[in-house]
Amino acid sequence: MTIEVNAQRTILNPKSYLWYSYHLLPDKYRFPVMQISQAISCTWSPQYSNEMLQQPLRSFKPYILHTISSSIRRTATRKYPFPMATLSTASTQNEAVSTQDLSTRIVPRPVQVAKRLEKFKTTIFTQMSMLAIKHGAINLGQGFPNFDGPDFVKEAAIQSIKEGKNQYARGYGVPDLNSAVAARFKKDSGLDVDPEKEVTVTSGCTEAIAATMLGLINPGDEVILFAPFYDSYEATLSMAGAKVKCITLRPPDFSLPIDELKSAVSKNTRAILLNTPHNPTGKMFTREELNVIASLCIENDVLVFADEVYDKLAFEMEHISVASLPGMYERTVTMNSLGKTFSLTGWKIGWAIAPPHLTWGVRQAHSYLTFATSTPMQYASATALRAPDSYFEELKRDYSAKKAILVEGLKAAGFTVYPSSGTYFVVVDHTPFGLENDIAFCEYLIKEVGVVAIPTSVFYLNPEEGKNLVRFTFCKDEDTLKSAVKRMKEKLSKK
């Protein structure tokens, strides 16, 4: 038989068989990836029995020998290689169907997502990073360094790979890393933990958060967040089926509203999710604030999930692990990671520390999320955590200098800059520049000034609470920070 495809565009899919007629192939074979400027005539020559030819079209995966303008020839063998087609271009000026006409036959299908995730869109970090690339803007939005981690850690990873440490690791972590995490935690918090029973290695702190929520929270459980909050918290709690309550930390100092918290905690509260040092504000919870949280948790039998990934980036005060307060270790999961401290965010090495009765739930969820984490990177991470104190001291000095460049520059450009005691973020008030909200300002900043910031309204349950604030990061080299500051000083003007 002969089939003539009269169109200016005929499609081949990535598996190299001909999309010889749009209406004859099932949906899964319709992948428009190749454009051909001339129409094609296809002659199909059956070489097998009529019985084979009568097989359902869903089994049809043709063997094709095609020629296009006598210069392209390919073959592809499929499961049922019963027909053969020879293709050649044909002069069809009068018969060609426009590309537009052909395209209109392809009806886009709506994206599908579970109801519990319907409200969550593409992350703001992805959106802003894409805009940054499009407009050539300096990215002070997303919190990843534009410089590399220390050589001694990278060399340890290379050595581990060369030594053949490349297969699945033990699910809850290679013993060397578990021991290093426990030793570092004792040095930082004074707490002795069992590396085998109380430390679980995860694929970044984000997975530690997910494993903790999914392993310890039941549908309908109430969890308290402090807004603004890292966006994965709400999404993960949604996946766990939790009921979220929110306590808002407000500028200028983002202090804990103690009375609001006391009113919010009840017999229905399962956990409080605490992030200190705090992203995005840079706030560090004081000992007094942590004592209030601890007393409420003990009184009401509430757990604490403590995200402490920025613990080594504490500038104005010392970081305090809530698990170290009296009566709190037994009800706390402490989560951390390697990426922020060692500028190796792409390695995705994290961990959760908790007493055995809580570790059980975390590990159960972890087993069915990722099961195990990169083996050679775990060994290298153990080397990193055993770094001398001088490394952490130098890290803090380096980030303090970067912070000063950005903070002074933002003030000079006209922003109201709020204090940041930890992390590598600074939150500012953008309203002196006259834009209606944080998203409008960030879009203007990218397109007209050439600098990226993150609108903070996405970090609130009620976006109105964050519409006046934007977040900048200073985890960039000094030249990048100075260039960004220069652009803002030159191009921003108050209204």
Side-chain angles (χ1 to χ4, degrees):
M1 59 181 173
T2 299
I3 300 172
E4 289 196 1
V5 183
N6 296 320
Q8 290 179 344
R9 185 177 66 176
T10 299
I11 308 300
L12 304 180
N13 89 344
K15 296 183 179 179
S16 302
Y17 59 85
L18 177 67
W19 192 52
Y20 68 100
S21 172
Y22 180 82
H23 294 288
L24 291 181
L25 289 181
D27 290 346
K28 65 180 180 179
Y29 293 146
R30 299 176 186 175
F31 299 106
V33 296
M34 182 179 290
Q35 179 170 317
I36 302 170
S37 60
Q38 292 180 275
I40 293 176
S41 174
C42 313
T43 301
W44 293 86
S45 303
Q47 296 182 353
Y48 294 90
S49 69
N50 287 332
E51 181 181 351
M52 290 182 68
L53 291 176
Q54 291 170 3
Q55 298 216 28
L57 188 56
R58 64 177 177 270
S59 301
F60 183 91
K61 296 184 179 180
Y63 178 93
I64 298 174
L65 173 63
H66 61 268
T67 59
I68 300 173
S69 301
S70 303
S71 62
I72 303 176
R73 181 177 295 270
R74 294 183 182 175
T75 61
T77 304
R78 301 297 172 191
K79 185 176 180 180
Y80 299 100
F82 58 91
M84 176 177 288
T86 300
L87 287 69
S88 62
T89 58
S91 177
T92 57
Q93 281 187 329
N94 297 328
E95 301 175 4
V97 178
S98 70
T99 300
Q100 184 176 0
D101 290 341
L102 181 62
S103 299
T104 57
R105 301 179 192 173
I106 305 174
V107 180
R109 296 185 174 188
V111 295
Q112 298 183 32
V113 65
K115 290 185 181 299
R116 62 184 175 273
L117 293 176
E118 280 181 337
K119 67 171 286 188
F120 302 102
K121 311 299 182 183
T122 303
T123 70
I124 194 66
F125 306 108
T126 299
Q127 295 176 42
M128 291 297 148
S129 293
M130 289 172 65
L131 277 175
I133 294 169
K134 179 178 179 181
H135 294 279
I138 299 173
N139 195 342
L140 301 189
Q142 196 166 358
F144 59 84
N146 69 341
F147 47 84
D148 213 358
D151 288 340
F152 76 94
V153 184
K154 292 184 291 184
E155 289 298 329
I158 293 168
Q159 186 62 32
S160 294
I161 292 170
K162 289 181 175 179
E163 290 174 357
K165 298 172 180 176
N166 300 305
Q167 307 309 320
Y168 287 132
R170 186 177 64 172
Y172 57 91
V174 301
D176 193 34
L177 178 55
N178 288 57
S179 296
V181 168
R184 172 54 57 183
F185 192 59
K186 180 178 181 180
K187 188 167 188 176
D188 294 339
S189 68
L191 293 171
D192 272 307
V193 298
D194 185 332
E196 293 299 299
K197 297 179 180 178
E198 299 176 293
V199 176
T200 305
V201 175
T202 59
S203 296
C205 189
T206 300
E207 197 229 328
I209 293 165
T212 298
M213 307 295 189
L214 296 173
L216 296 172
I217 296 297
N218 290 308
D221 282 351
E222 186 179 279
V223 178
I224 294 176
L225 300 181
F226 297 110
F229 47 76
Y230 177 48
D231 61 348
S232 85
Y233 296 165
E234 186 189 3
T236 307
L237 285 170
S238 178
M239 287 187 266
K243 177 183 177 183
V244 176
K245 269 190 178 180
C246 207
I247 305 295
T248 300
L249 309 177
R250 294 178 171 84
D253 59 359
F254 301 98
S255 60
L256 177 66
I258 293 174
D259 290 338
E260 282 186 49
L261 179 61
K262 287 180 177 179
S263 298
V265 175
S266 71
K267 59 183 177 58
N268 299 319
T269 306
R270 169 66 169 163
I272 295 174
L273 206 168
L274 175 69
N275 176 210
T276 184
H278 182 256
N279 173 17
T281 67
K283 170 191 170 54
M284 295 185 65
F285 283 77
T286 65
R287 184 173 292 276
E288 291 72 26
E289 290 172 330
L290 293 175
N291 280 333
V292 169
I293 293 171
S295 63
L296 287 171
C297 290
I298 293 170
E299 180 182 343
N300 294 279
D301 193 23
V302 173
L303 303 177
V304 172
F305 303 149
D307 176 354
E308 300 184 356
V309 294
Y310 299 100
D311 64 331
K312 294 295 182 289
L313 297 176
F315 304 110
E316 273 79 41
M317 57 187 289
E318 290 299 315
H319 168 72
I320 302 169
S321 285
V322 67
S324 67
L325 300 182
M328 286 305 293
Y329 181 73
E330 67 188 41
R331 63 180 66 255
T332 301
V333 180
T334 303
M335 301 167 287
N336 211 323
S337 76
L338 189 83
K340 306 299 189 293
T341 303
F342 291 91
S343 303
L344 296 166
T345 58
W347 284 21
K348 298 297 290 181
I349 301 292
W351 52 86
I353 301 171
H357 68 281
L358 298 180
T359 289
W360 175 253
V362 175
R363 288 185 179 179
Q364 285 295 95
H366 166 68
S367 295
Y368 298 103
L369 287 171
T370 60
F371 173 68
T373 298
S374 171
T375 303
M377 301 312 180
Q378 287 194 57
Y379 283 101
S381 298
T383 298
L385 292 178
R386 295 186 179 108
D389 291 343
S390 58
Y391 172 81
F392 302 100
E393 293 165 0
E394 179 61 29
L395 178 77
K396 193 178 294 189
R397 282 195 298 269
D398 183 50
Y399 270 117
S400 294
K402 296 178 190 299
K403 177 186 171 185
I405 292 170
L406 181 59
V407 169
E408 291 168 12
L410 291 170
K411 288 179 179 178
F415 290 97
T416 300
V417 181
Y418 295 118
S420 173
S421 299
T423 76
Y424 43 48
F425 301 116
V426 174
V427 167
V428 303
D429 186 329
H430 68 80
T431 56
F433 301 102
L435 278 296
E436 61 180 329
N437 58 45
D438 56 330
I439 294 175
F441 175 78
C442 286
E443 289 178 350
Y444 171 83
L445 190 68
I446 292 172
K447 296 173 182 178
E448 304 299 329
V449 181
V451 176
V452 182
I454 295 293
T456 65
S457 58
V458 299
F459 303 139
Y460 292 81
L461 286 186
N462 177 11
E464 283 292 305
E465 293 183 326
K467 70 177 184 178
N468 293 338
L469 307 176
V470 297
R471 187 195 79 178
F472 290 92
T473 184
F474 51 89
C475 59
K476 312 297 177 182
D477 62 73
E478 293 189 6
D479 287 342
T480 298
L481 294 170
K482 289 175 182 177
S483 295
V485 164
K486 183 173 184 290
R487 290 186 184 187
M488 288 187 282
K489 285 181 179 178
E490 290 175 350
K491 297 182 180 180
L492 278 176
S493 58
K494 292 186 178 182
K495 297 179 181 180

